[in-house]
Amino acid sequence: MARRRQSVTIKHVAADAGVSLQTVSRVINNEPNVRPAMKERVQESIDKLGYVPSIAAQRMSGSRSYIIMAINDRDLTIADWRAREGRDWIDQMLLGGMLTCAEHGYRMLIELVDTHNDHVERELGAAIAALQPDGIILTPPHSENPLITGLLAERGIPFARIGSKQGGLGIAMTMGDTHNARLATEHLIQLGHTRIGFIAGPEEFSLSNWRVDGWKSALEAAGLSAEGLCERGDFGFASGSIAAEKLLRTDDAPSAIIASSDQMALATLEVARGRGLQIPRDLSIVSFDNSPIVRFTQPPLTAIDQPIAETTSRAVELLIENASGKRPAEPISVPGKLIVRASTGKAPSANLSEPRTRSA
Amino acid sequence: MARRRQSVTIKHVAADAGVSLQTVSRVINNEPNVRPAMKERVQESIDKLGYVPSIAAQRMSGSRSYIIMAINDRDLTIADWRAREGRDWIDQMLLGGMLTCAEHGYRMLIELVDTHNDHVERELGAAIAALQPDGIILTPPHSENPLITGLLAERGIPFARIGSKQGGLGIAMTMGDTHNARLATEHLIQLGHTRIGFIAGPEEFSLSNWRVDGWKSALEAAGLSAEGLCERGDFGFASGSIAAEKLLRTDDAPSAIIASSDQMALATLEVARGRGLQIPRDLSIVSFDNSPIVRFTQPPLTAIDQPIAETTSRAVELLIENASGKRPAEPISVPGKLIVRASTGKAPSANLSEPRTRSA
C-alpha cells in the first residue's frame, strides 16, 4: 500500500505540471497567491500521478529557495580560469553538486568571495540576502574563516566546511588528506625509496598540515626519517620550484618527492630535468589533486585524486538532510585514491638496507 | 552636480547595508513588507552614501530575480566533466558571465538541459518557474531548438542564442566562426599549403557549416580547390580519427588539416603519427577551441581560440540592456583569434606552383 506514496513525490508533480516545487507546495498548502488556472494544472498532475502529500512536502511552504550556494575563493578561482591550464576544481564541484542537487529538486550556484576582504561579512551577507540559500558549502580557505562561519551560524543557514576538521559550527568535511598522503608515501616505500621528500602547502590551509602528518606517519611506520625532507610552498608553480631546488641540491637528496599540488609537482618535474635527472629513473614524483594537466606531462604523473565531486555530492546530501533536522557525526571524511602513472618507479639504489648514494 | 548621483548606485547601498538589491528597492519604493529595522538600516546607508534613487532603481520593484541562467547541453557537459581532459567551456562561460553579472548586481547560474528530450519544454518550464531568471543564455545545440526559443518567447524572457545567426526570437550571437576558419586557412596558405583539408562538425550545429564556409572562401580567394578535402565528424575523438584516415589515405592527401574541435585535432595528430608522419614537417594541424589540452600535446597545437568568456560577458550585458528595452542590431559577432603554436609549419613541397607529391 505504501508503494505508490513512496514512488511519487512532489518533484514528479512539479515536472509533470511544468512548474516549480514552490508552486506545487503552495497548491498543496492551499496558499492564497496561486492563480486558479495554475492550481487546476497542479491538481491535475496530482490526480494523474496519484500523489499523496507527505509531511515533508507540506513543510515546504514556499519558504525554501532550493538553492545550495558553493562558495569559492575569488582570486584563486579567477586565476585558474584565466590561466586555462585545465584545473577543474569548479567543474568537479558542479559535477557532484549539481547532479545531486537535481536529484532533490535543488540547484547549485557558485559564488566567489574574497576571504581576505575586510568586508567579507558584508559581501556574504548581500549574497545570502539576494539568494536566500537553503545551504552553503564552504571551501578552503573560507572553511575556517570565523567571520564567515560565525555569520552563517548567526543566520541559521546550514553549511558544510570542506577541508576542515574543526568541531563546532557547520559540518566539517575532509577529503582524507592524511590518509591520502600516507597512501602516496607507502607507494614510494614499496618501490624501495628510503628518502622521500615532501613539498607542503601553505599553513593557512589546515589540509596542508594533515598531508604532512600522513607523510610523516608512513615514514615512521617504516622506520624512515623525515629530517630535512620537508619544504613548504603556496600551491603555486614558483613556490614549487624553490622548494624542489632546496630538496634536490643537498648531498643527500631524496629519490622521491611528493608535492601537495599539481603545480608544485610540475615545478618539481622542471627542476629535476634542469638538473639532468630522468623521471622516474633518478627521481620519482607524486602529485596531489590529479587535475587534467598531470595526464599530459612527460611522463604523466602519479597523483592522489582528490574526490571533489564525491565530497560536494555528499555535502549537498548532508545539507538537505540537515534542513530536516538530521545532524551527521563529524568530521565526514571522503578519502581519495592513488592513480599510478609513469612518474614513479623503483628507487635508484638496489640495496635497500644501505643509505642511498646518488649516482650522477 | 551629477557626479554624486552617477557614482553612488543601489548596489553601493546594498553592499553597505549588507542586504539584497531587492530589499533596497523595496525600501526605496516604500513597499509594505519590509521590517522597520531593515528599513532603518537601508535608510542609514542611503543617507550616509548620499544615494539619490534613479528611475531605473525605482523600477526594480522586487520583480526581478537578478539571475541570468546559462543553459548548456546536459550530456555533453557531464561527459566533459567526467572525462577530466581539461575542456573548460563552462569555466570560460562562468569567467565572462559571472564577473559581468557581478558588475551589475546579477548572478549567473548554469543549467543543464537535454535538448533531445521529449520533455524539454517541461524541463525548462520547471527551471524557469523555480528561478524566474531575468535572462537566459542558450548555447548550441539549444540555440536553434524551436521548442526552447518558442517557450522563452512565449514567457517573455529575454534570451541570447550563442552559435546562431537565425533572425527572429532572442538575440543571435556568433563567435565569428566563418571569420575564424578563414583565419586558420589563410595562415596555412601563407605557409605555402595548397591542399588544405577540413574536418567539419555535425550538421546539427549551424556553426559547423559557417566554419566550412570560411575555409572554402579562403581557398577560393587563393584559387585553391576544396574538392574532396572536407570530411565530417561529430566533434568527438573517434569521429576525428575516421575523418583524418579518410583525408590522409588518398594519393593526393592534404599537407594541412583544420579540425573543427580539439578532440578531432588530437585524433588527427594520432592518425598522422600512426602513418609515420612528422608534425609539422609532413602535416600541419590547426585545431578549433583552444581548450587547455592543446597546449600539452607534442607538439602543442596551433588553434583558433573561441572567445567564450567575451561572448558570454557580452550576452549578459545585452540581456541586462534588453530588460530596459534596448534591442541590439543582430547578429552580434565576437571574433576569435588564431594562436600559432608548433603544429603548423611550411608546406613540404618547396615549389608552390606545382601539385604537391608526398615524400614518403
Coordinates of all heavy atoms in Angstrom, one line a residue, chain A residues 244-314:
Chain A
A244 N 61.6 22.5 -4.6 CA 62.2 21.4 -5.2 C 63.8 21.6 -5.3 O 64.5 20.7 -5.1 CB 61.7 21.2 -6.6
E245 N 64.2 22.8 -5.6 CA 65.6 23.2 -5.6 C 66.2 22.9 -4.3 O 67.3 22.3 -4.2 CB 65.8 24.7 -6.0 CG 65.7 25.0 -7.5 CD 66.9 24.5 -8.3 OE1 67.9 23.9 -7.7 OE2 66.9 24.7 -9.5
K246 N 65.6 23.3 -3.2 CA 66.1 23.1 -1.9 C 66.3 21.7 -1.6 O 67.3 21.2 -1.0 CB 65.2 23.8 -0.8 CG 65.4 25.3 -0.7 CD 64.6 25.8 0.5 CE 64.5 27.3 0.5 NZ 63.4 27.7 1.4
L247 N 65.3 20.9 -1.9 CA 65.3 19.4 -1.6 C 66.4 18.7 -2.5 O 67.0 17.8 -2.0 CB 64.0 18.8 -1.9 CG 62.9 19.1 -0.9 CD1 61.5 18.6 -1.4 CD2 63.2 18.4 0.5
L248 N 66.6 19.2 -3.7 CA 67.4 18.4 -4.6 C 68.9 18.8 -4.6 O 69.7 18.1 -5.1 CB 66.9 18.5 -6.1 CG 65.5 17.7 -6.3 CD1 65.0 18.0 -7.7 CD2 65.7 16.2 -6.0
R249 N 69.2 20.0 -4.1 CA 70.6 20.4 -4.1 C 71.4 19.9 -3.0 O 72.6 20.2 -2.9 CB 70.6 22.0 -4.2 CG 70.4 22.7 -3.0 CD 70.6 24.2 -3.1 NE 70.0 24.9 -2.0 CZ 69.3 26.1 -2.1 NH1 69.2 26.6 -3.3 NH2 68.8 26.6 -1.0
T250 N 70.8 19.2 -2.0 CA 71.6 18.7 -0.9 C 72.4 17.4 -1.4 O 72.1 16.8 -2.4 CB 70.7 18.3 0.3 OG1 69.8 17.3 -0.2 CG2 69.9 19.5 0.8
D251 N 73.4 17.1 -0.6 CA 74.3 15.9 -0.9 C 73.4 14.7 -0.8 O 73.6 13.7 -1.5 CB 75.4 15.8 0.1 CG 76.4 17.0 -0.2 OD1 76.4 17.5 -1.3 OD2 77.2 17.3 0.8
D252 N 72.5 14.7 0.2 CA 71.7 13.5 0.5 C 70.3 13.8 0.0 O 69.3 13.7 0.8 CB 71.8 13.3 2.0 CG 71.4 11.8 2.3 OD1 71.4 11.0 1.3 OD2 71.1 11.6 3.5
A253 N 70.2 14.1 -1.3 CA 68.8 14.5 -1.8 C 67.9 13.3 -1.8 O 68.3 12.1 -1.9 CB 69.0 15.0 -3.2
P254 N 66.6 13.5 -1.7 CA 65.6 12.4 -1.8 C 65.6 11.8 -3.2 O 65.9 12.4 -4.2 CB 64.3 13.2 -1.5 CG 64.5 14.6 -1.9 CD 65.9 14.9 -1.6
S255 N 65.2 10.5 -3.2 CA 65.0 9.8 -4.5 C 63.5 9.9 -5.0 O 63.2 9.4 -6.0 CB 65.4 8.4 -4.4 OG 64.6 7.7 -3.5
A256 N 62.7 10.5 -4.1 CA 61.3 10.7 -4.5 C 60.7 11.9 -3.8 O 61.2 12.2 -2.7 CB 60.5 9.4 -4.0
I257 N 59.8 12.6 -4.5 CA 59.2 13.8 -3.9 C 57.7 13.7 -4.1 O 57.2 13.4 -5.2 CB 59.8 15.1 -4.6 CG1 61.3 15.3 -4.2 CG2 59.0 16.3 -4.1 CD1 61.9 16.5 -4.8
I258 N 57.0 14.0 -3.0 CA 55.6 14.2 -3.1 C 55.3 15.7 -3.0 O 55.7 16.4 -2.1 CB 54.9 13.5 -1.9 CG1 55.2 12.0 -1.9 CG2 53.4 13.7 -1.9 CD1 54.8 11.2 -0.6
A259 N 54.5 16.2 -4.0 CA 54.2 17.6 -4.0 C 52.7 17.7 -3.7 O 51.9 17.0 -4.2 CB 54.5 18.2 -5.3
S260 N 52.4 18.7 -2.8 CA 51.0 18.9 -2.4 C 50.0 19.5 -3.3 O 48.9 19.9 -3.0 CB 51.0 19.7 -1.1 OG 51.4 19.0 0.0
S261 N 50.5 19.8 -4.5 CA 49.6 20.3 -5.6 C 50.2 20.0 -6.9 O 51.4 19.7 -7.1 CB 49.5 21.9 -5.5 OG 50.6 22.5 -6.0
D262 N 49.3 20.0 -8.0 CA 49.8 19.7 -9.3 C 50.8 20.7 -9.8 O 51.8 20.3 -10.4 CB 48.6 19.6 -10.3 CG 47.7 18.4 -10.1 OD1 48.3 17.4 -9.6 OD2 46.5 18.5 -10.4
Q263 N 50.6 22.0 -9.5 CA 51.5 23.0 -10.0 C 52.9 22.8 -9.4 O 53.9 23.0 -10.0 CB 51.0 24.4 -9.7 CG 49.8 24.9 -10.6 CD 50.3 24.9 -12.1 OE1 51.4 25.3 -12.4 NE2 49.4 24.5 -13.0
M264 N 52.9 22.5 -8.1 CA 54.2 22.3 -7.4 C 54.9 21.0 -7.9 O 56.1 20.9 -8.0 CB 54.1 22.2 -5.9 CG 53.5 23.6 -5.3 SD 53.8 23.9 -3.6 CE 52.8 22.5 -2.9
A265 N 54.1 20.0 -8.4 CA 54.7 18.8 -8.9 C 55.2 19.1 -10.3 O 56.3 18.6 -10.7 CB 53.6 17.7 -9.0
L266 N 54.5 19.9 -11.1 CA 55.1 20.3 -12.4 C 56.4 21.0 -12.3 O 57.3 20.8 -13.0 CB 54.1 21.2 -13.2 CG 52.7 20.6 -13.6 CD1 51.9 21.6 -14.4 CD2 53.0 19.3 -14.4
A267 N 56.4 21.9 -11.3 CA 57.7 22.7 -11.0 C 58.8 21.7 -10.6 O 59.9 21.9 -11.1 CB 57.4 23.7 -9.9
T268 N 58.5 20.7 -9.8 CA 59.5 19.7 -9.4 C 60.0 18.9 -10.6 O 61.2 18.7 -10.8 CB 58.9 18.7 -8.4 OG1 58.4 19.4 -7.3 CG2 59.9 17.7 -7.9
L269 N 59.1 18.6 -11.5 CA 59.5 17.9 -12.8 C 60.5 18.8 -13.6 O 61.5 18.3 -14.1 CB 58.2 17.7 -13.6 CG 58.3 16.9 -14.9 CD1 58.7 15.5 -14.6 CD2 56.9 16.9 -15.6
E270 N 60.2 20.1 -13.7 CA 61.0 21.0 -14.4 C 62.4 21.2 -13.8 O 63.4 21.1 -14.4 CB 60.3 22.4 -14.6 CG 61.0 23.2 -15.6 CD 60.4 24.6 -15.7 OE1 60.7 25.5 -14.9 OE2 59.5 24.8 -16.6
V271 N 62.4 21.3 -12.4 CA 63.7 21.5 -11.7 C 64.5 20.2 -11.9 O 65.7 20.3 -12.1 CB 63.4 21.8 -10.2 CG1 64.7 21.6 -9.4 CG2 62.8 23.2 -10.0
A272 N 63.9 19.1 -11.8 CA 64.6 17.8 -11.9 C 65.2 17.7 -13.3 O 66.4 17.4 -13.4 CB 63.7 16.6 -11.6
R273 N 64.5 18.0 -14.3 CA 65.0 18.0 -15.7 C 66.2 18.9 -15.8 O 67.2 18.6 -16.4 CB 63.9 18.4 -16.7 CG 62.9 17.4 -16.9 CD 62.7 17.3 -18.5 NE 61.6 16.3 -18.7 CZ 60.3 16.6 -18.8 NH1 60.0 17.9 -18.7 NH2 59.5 15.7 -18.9
G274 N 66.0 20.1 -15.2 CA 67.1 21.1 -15.3 C 68.4 20.6 -14.6 O 69.5 21.0 -15.0
R275 N 68.2 19.7 -13.7 CA 69.4 19.2 -13.0 C 69.8 17.9 -13.7 O 70.7 17.1 -13.2 CB 69.1 18.9 -11.5 CG 68.7 20.2 -10.8 CD 68.4 19.9 -9.3 NE 69.6 19.5 -8.6 CZ 70.4 20.4 -8.0 NH1 70.1 21.7 -8.0 NH2 71.5 20.0 -7.3
G276 N 69.3 17.6 -14.8 CA 69.7 16.4 -15.6 C 69.2 15.1 -15.1 O 69.7 14.0 -15.4
L277 N 68.2 15.1 -14.2 CA 67.6 13.9 -13.7 C 66.6 13.3 -14.6 O 65.8 14.1 -15.2 CB 67.0 14.2 -12.3 CG 67.9 14.7 -11.2 CD1 67.1 15.0 -9.9 CD2 69.0 13.8 -10.9
Q278 N 66.5 12.0 -14.7 CA 65.5 11.4 -15.5 C 64.4 10.9 -14.6 O 64.7 10.3 -13.5 CB 66.0 10.2 -16.3 CG 66.6 10.6 -17.7 CD 66.9 9.4 -18.6 OE1 66.1 8.5 -18.5 NE2 67.9 9.5 -19.3
I279 N 63.1 11.1 -15.0 CA 62.0 10.7 -14.3 C 61.4 9.4 -14.9 O 61.1 9.4 -16.1 CB 60.9 11.8 -14.3 CG1 61.5 13.2 -14.0 CG2 59.7 11.4 -13.3 CD1 62.1 13.3 -12.6
P280 N 61.2 8.3 -14.2 CA 61.4 8.1 -12.7 C 62.8 7.5 -12.4 O 63.0 7.2 -11.3 CB 60.3 7.2 -12.4 CG 60.1 6.3 -13.6 CD 60.5 7.1 -14.8
R281 N 63.7 7.3 -13.4 CA 64.9 6.6 -13.1 C 65.7 7.2 -11.9 O 66.1 6.5 -11.0 CB 65.8 6.6 -14.4 CG 66.9 5.6 -14.3 CD 68.0 5.9 -15.3 NE 68.7 7.1 -15.1 CZ 69.5 7.7 -15.9 NH1 69.9 7.1 -17.0 NH2 70.1 8.9 -15.6
D282 N 65.8 8.5 -11.9 CA 66.6 9.2 -10.9 C 65.7 9.8 -9.8 O 66.2 10.0 -8.7 CB 67.4 10.3 -11.5 CG 68.3 9.8 -12.7 OD1 68.9 8.7 -12.5 OD2 68.4 10.5 -13.7
L283 N 64.5 10.1 -10.1 CA 63.6 10.8 -9.2 C 62.2 10.4 -9.5 O 61.7 10.5 -10.6 CB 63.7 12.3 -9.2 CG 62.9 13.1 -8.2 CD1 63.4 13.0 -6.8 CD2 62.8 14.6 -8.6
S284 N 61.5 9.9 -8.4 CA 60.0 9.6 -8.6 C 59.3 10.8 -8.1 O 59.7 11.5 -7.1 CB 59.6 8.4 -7.8 OG 60.1 7.2 -8.4
I285 N 58.1 11.1 -8.7 CA 57.3 12.3 -8.3 C 55.9 11.9 -8.2 O 55.3 11.2 -9.0 CB 57.4 13.4 -9.4 CG1 58.9 13.9 -9.5 CG2 56.5 14.6 -9.0 CD1 59.1 15.0 -10.6
V286 N 55.3 12.3 -7.1 CA 53.8 12.1 -6.9 C 53.2 13.4 -6.7 O 53.7 14.3 -6.0 CB 53.5 11.2 -5.6 CG1 52.0 11.0 -5.5 CG2 54.2 9.8 -5.7
S287 N 52.1 13.6 -7.4 CA 51.4 14.9 -7.3 C 50.1 14.8 -6.5 O 49.6 13.7 -6.2 CB 51.0 15.3 -8.8 OG 50.5 16.6 -8.8
F288 N 49.5 15.9 -6.1 CA 48.3 16.0 -5.4 C 47.3 16.8 -6.2 O 47.6 17.9 -6.6 CB 48.5 16.7 -4.0 CG 48.4 15.7 -2.8 CD1 49.5 15.1 -2.4 CD2 47.2 15.5 -2.2 CE1 49.5 14.3 -1.3 CE2 47.1 14.7 -1.1 CZ 48.3 14.1 -0.6
D289 N 46.1 16.2 -6.4 CA 44.9 16.9 -7.0 C 44.5 16.0 -8.2 O 43.3 15.8 -8.3 CB 45.2 18.3 -7.5 CG 45.2 19.3 -6.3 OD1 45.0 18.9 -5.2 OD2 45.4 20.5 -6.6
N290 N 45.4 15.7 -9.0 CA 45.1 14.9 -10.2 C 44.2 15.7 -11.2 O 43.2 15.2 -11.8 CB 44.4 13.6 -9.8 CG 44.3 12.6 -11.0 OD1 45.2 12.6 -11.8 ND2 43.2 11.9 -11.1
S291 N 44.4 17.0 -11.3 CA 43.7 17.8 -12.3 C 44.2 17.4 -13.7 O 45.2 16.7 -13.8 CB 43.9 19.3 -12.0 OG 45.2 19.7 -12.1
P292 N 43.4 17.7 -14.7 CA 43.7 17.1 -16.1 C 45.2 17.3 -16.5 O 45.7 16.4 -17.2 CB 42.8 17.9 -17.0 CG 41.6 18.2 -16.1 CD 42.2 18.4 -14.7
I293 N 45.8 18.4 -16.1 CA 47.2 18.7 -16.6 C 48.2 17.6 -16.4 O 49.0 17.3 -17.2 CB 47.6 20.0 -15.9 CG1 48.8 20.6 -16.6 CG2 47.9 19.8 -14.4 CD1 49.2 22.0 -16.1
V294 N 48.0 16.8 -15.3 CA 49.1 15.8 -14.9 C 49.0 14.6 -15.8 O 49.9 13.8 -15.8 CB 49.0 15.4 -13.4 CG1 49.2 16.5 -12.5 CG2 47.7 14.6 -13.2
R295 N 48.0 14.5 -16.7 CA 47.9 13.4 -17.6 C 48.7 13.7 -18.9 O 48.9 12.8 -19.7 CB 46.5 13.1 -18.0 CG 45.7 12.7 -16.7 CD 44.2 12.7 -17.0 NE 43.9 12.0 -18.2 CZ 42.6 11.7 -18.6 NH1 41.6 12.1 -17.8 NH2 42.4 11.1 -19.6
F296 N 49.1 15.0 -19.1 CA 49.7 15.4 -20.3 C 51.1 15.7 -20.2 O 51.7 16.2 -21.1 CB 48.9 16.6 -20.9 CG 47.4 16.2 -21.2 CD1 46.4 16.8 -20.4 CD2 47.1 15.2 -22.1 CE1 45.1 16.5 -20.6 CE2 45.8 14.9 -22.3 CZ 44.8 15.5 -21.6
T297 N 51.7 15.5 -19.0 CA 53.1 15.8 -18.9 C 53.9 14.6 -19.4 O 53.4 13.5 -19.6 CB 53.5 16.0 -17.4 OG1 53.0 14.9 -16.6 CG2 52.9 17.3 -16.9
Q298 N 55.2 14.8 -19.5 CA 56.1 13.7 -20.0 C 57.1 13.4 -18.8 O 58.0 14.2 -18.6 CB 56.9 14.1 -21.2 CG 56.0 14.2 -22.5 CD 55.4 13.0 -23.0 OE1 55.9 11.9 -22.7 NE2 54.3 13.1 -23.7
P299 N 57.0 12.3 -18.1 CA 55.9 11.3 -18.2 C 54.7 11.8 -17.4 O 54.8 12.7 -16.6 CB 56.5 10.1 -17.4 CG 57.4 10.7 -16.4 CD 58.0 12.0 -17.1
P300 N 53.5 11.2 -17.7 CA 52.3 11.5 -16.9 C 52.6 11.3 -15.4 O 53.3 10.3 -15.1 CB 51.3 10.6 -17.5 CG 51.8 10.2 -18.8 CD 53.3 10.2 -18.7
L301 N 52.0 12.1 -14.6 CA 52.3 12.0 -13.1 C 51.4 11.1 -12.3 O 50.2 11.1 -12.5 CB 52.2 13.4 -12.5 CG 53.1 14.5 -13.1 CD1 52.9 15.8 -12.3 CD2 54.6 14.1 -13.1
T302 N 52.0 10.2 -11.5 CA 51.3 9.5 -10.5 C 50.7 10.6 -9.5 O 51.4 11.5 -9.2 CB 52.3 8.6 -9.7 OG1 52.7 7.6 -10.6 CG2 51.6 8.0 -8.5
A303 N 49.5 10.4 -9.2 CA 48.8 11.5 -8.4 C 47.7 11.0 -7.5 O 47.1 10.0 -7.7 CB 48.2 12.5 -9.4
I304 N 47.6 11.7 -6.4 CA 46.4 11.5 -5.5 C 45.2 12.2 -6.1 O 45.3 13.4 -6.4 CB 46.7 12.1 -4.1 CG1 47.8 11.2 -3.4 CG2 45.4 12.1 -3.3 CD1 47.3 9.8 -3.0
D305 N 44.2 11.4 -6.4 CA 43.0 12.0 -6.9 C 42.1 12.6 -5.8 O 41.7 11.8 -4.9 CB 42.2 10.9 -7.7 CG 41.0 11.5 -8.4 OD1 41.2 12.3 -9.3 OD2 39.9 11.2 -8.0
Q306 N 41.9 13.9 -5.8 CA 41.0 14.5 -4.8 C 39.6 14.2 -5.2 O 39.1 14.6 -6.3 CB 41.2 16.0 -4.8 CG 42.6 16.5 -4.5 CD 42.7 16.7 -3.0 OE1 43.0 15.7 -2.2 NE2 42.4 17.8 -2.5
P307 N 38.8 13.6 -4.3 CA 37.4 13.3 -4.6 C 36.5 14.5 -4.5 O 35.6 14.5 -3.6 CB 37.1 12.2 -3.5 CG 37.9 12.6 -2.4 CD 39.2 13.2 -2.9
I308 N 36.7 15.5 -5.3 CA 36.0 16.7 -5.2 C 34.5 16.5 -5.5 O 33.6 17.0 -4.8 CB 36.5 17.8 -6.2 CG1 38.0 18.0 -5.9 CG2 35.8 19.1 -6.0 CD1 38.8 18.6 -7.1
A309 N 34.2 15.8 -6.6 CA 32.8 15.6 -7.0 C 32.1 14.8 -5.9 O 31.0 15.2 -5.5 CB 32.7 14.9 -8.3
E310 N 32.7 13.7 -5.4 CA 32.0 12.9 -4.3 C 31.8 13.7 -3.1 O 30.8 13.6 -2.4 CB 32.9 11.7 -4.0 CG 32.9 10.6 -5.0 CD 34.2 9.8 -4.8 OE1 34.3 9.0 -3.9 OE2 35.1 10.1 -5.6
T311 N 32.8 14.5 -2.7 CA 32.7 15.3 -1.5 C 31.6 16.3 -1.6 O 30.8 16.5 -0.6 CB 34.0 16.0 -1.1 OG1 35.1 15.0 -1.1 CG2 34.0 16.6 0.2
T312 N 31.5 17.0 -2.7 CA 30.5 18.0 -2.9 C 29.1 17.4 -2.9 O 28.2 17.9 -2.4 CB 30.7 18.8 -4.2 OG1 32.1 19.2 -4.3 CG2 29.8 20.0 -4.3
S313 N 29.0 16.2 -3.6 CA 27.7 15.5 -3.6 C 27.3 15.1 -2.2 O 26.1 15.3 -1.8 CB 27.9 14.2 -4.5 OG 26.9 13.3 -4.3
R314 N 28.3 14.6 -1.4 CA 28.0 14.3 0.0 C 27.5 15.5 0.8 O 26.6 15.4 1.6 CB 29.2 13.6 0.6 CG 29.0 13.0 1.9 CD 28.5 11.5 1.8 NE 28.1 11.0 3.1 CZ 26.9 11.1 3.6 NH1 25.9 11.7 2.9 NH2 26.6 10.7 4.8

